[in-house]
Amino acid sequence: MNATVSEFHYGMITPIAAYLMATLGAALGLRCTTRSLRNARGERGIAWLTLGAVSIGCGIWTMHFIAMIGFSVQGALVGYDTLMTLLSLLVAIAVVAVGVFLVGFRGAGPLNLGVAGTFTGLGVAAMHYLGMAALQTGGTVHYDLTTVLLSVVIAVVAATAALWAAVSISAVWATLGASLVMGGAVSLMHYTGMSAVTVSLVSGNSAPSADTGQLSLLLIMLAGPMTVLLLAGVIVMFDPEVVLGQGDWNRKQARRSVRETAGV
């Protein structure tokens, strides 16, 4: 029999928290990528690109599994395979890194952006469905193919737009605006993919739909990427050029030089 499936077991708490994490990861990633463009081929540039890729990848993965905390199947325990879950995290970081380094080194020309965006978008979709493959319900998970394809298209479009923004937008407020849009696009991809899900359970299974132990395990796994995002945020906040933008930082330095020259 098909069980009743819900994405909102805890109401709007998990969708909002998931969106905020996706937005945070995008904002940090965009600022880091912007910072790298001055010397993308140097060691510092590579370090900033790496931090940007890790931030975006962790933001996307954290968004997915925070949203999954709100996923419930009536009449079944919901659990996750640990290794498959961690594999989905590595996939998220790796595919974002490929896209970020492609546009960071080769620019946002139409062909390069299309290749990078398509690869990254397909990778983000793969992360999502790997995360779903880690799902354990005691039943069989089915997908509506049309809705799955729609979620993949959304992932590709979102990834392409994100990579374009990473190398084309440098103003702080524009970056924040782009991050809000990116967070929404990634969340839309997730919930579109989840709308494709139905779960068939063995008749007579009357297990509760919440498992405190599994939820605790998921929260523990979320702690790692969330800590990475926190550290990335600290690094970004302590780099004035990332926070202010290159133009504002240069103007600030110029004003300081004038004051020092004038003996103020």
Side-chain angles (χ1 to χ4, degrees):
M1 64 175 182
N2 284 342
T4 301
V5 175
S6 174
E7 284 294 308
F8 308 101
H9 185 71
Y10 299 101
M12 293 303 295
I13 295 175
T14 49
I16 292 173
Y19 169 72
L20 292 176
M21 293 308 300
T23 301
L24 174 62
L28 292 173
L30 290 181
R31 295 313 297 166
C32 290
T33 305
T34 297
R35 180 66 175 85
S36 75
L37 295 180
R38 293 185 60 195
N39 51 357
R41 296 184 184 279
E43 290 183 2
R44 287 179 59 83
I46 292 174
W48 281 113
L49 285 175
T50 301
L51 183 61
V54 170
S55 297
I56 295 174
C58 285
I60 293 172
W61 186 90
T62 304
M63 176 282 304
H64 172 85
F65 280 99
I66 287 179
M68 290 304 295
I69 290 174
F71 178 75
S72 65
V73 180
Q74 185 178 20
L77 294 172
V78 175
Y80 297 90
D81 177 85
T82 302
L83 291 179
M84 189 72 74
T85 301
L86 294 176
L87 176 61
S88 68
L89 171 60
L90 295 178
V91 168
I93 294 174
V95 297
V96 171
V98 170
V100 165
F101 273 84
L102 276 174
V103 297
F105 280 102
R106 301 176 64 86
L111 179 59
N112 188 59
L113 183 62
V115 171
T118 299
F119 181 87
T120 303
L122 292 176
V124 169
M127 178 280 299
H128 173 86
Y129 290 106
L130 270 175
M132 289 303 298
L135 185 67
Q136 298 172 337
T137 64
T140 304
V141 178
H142 306 280
Y143 295 93
D144 177 73
L145 181 58
T146 301
T147 309
V148 168
L149 292 176
L150 177 60
S151 72
V152 173
V153 171
I154 293 172
V156 171
V157 172
T160 303
L163 294 174
W164 174 84
V167 296
S168 303
I169 297 177
S170 59
V172 176
W173 291 110
T175 297
L176 293 177
S179 302
L180 292 172
V181 174
M182 287 167 55
V186 173
S187 298
L188 177 62
M189 178 269 163
H190 172 85
Y191 284 102
T192 300
M194 293 308 298
S195 70
V197 173
T198 56
V199 179
S200 299
L201 299 178
V202 177
S203 179
N205 185 348
S206 58
S209 59
D211 182 353
T212 304
Q214 288 292 340
L215 180 59
S216 298
L217 175 63
L218 188 56
L219 290 173
I220 289 171
M221 286 190 288
L222 282 168
M226 292 179 72
T227 300
V228 170
L229 289 174
L230 176 62
L231 292 175
V234 171
I235 293 172
V236 167
M237 291 301 295
F238 275 91
D239 190 303
E241 188 171 334
V242 174
V243 177
L244 296 175
Q246 182 179 343
D248 291 340
W249 173 244
N250 288 341
R251 285 191 290 272
K252 182 178 179 180
Q253 292 293 83
R255 288 194 296 268
R256 178 181 296 175
S257 297
V258 170
R259 288 196 299 269
E260 290 176 351
T261 301
V264 178

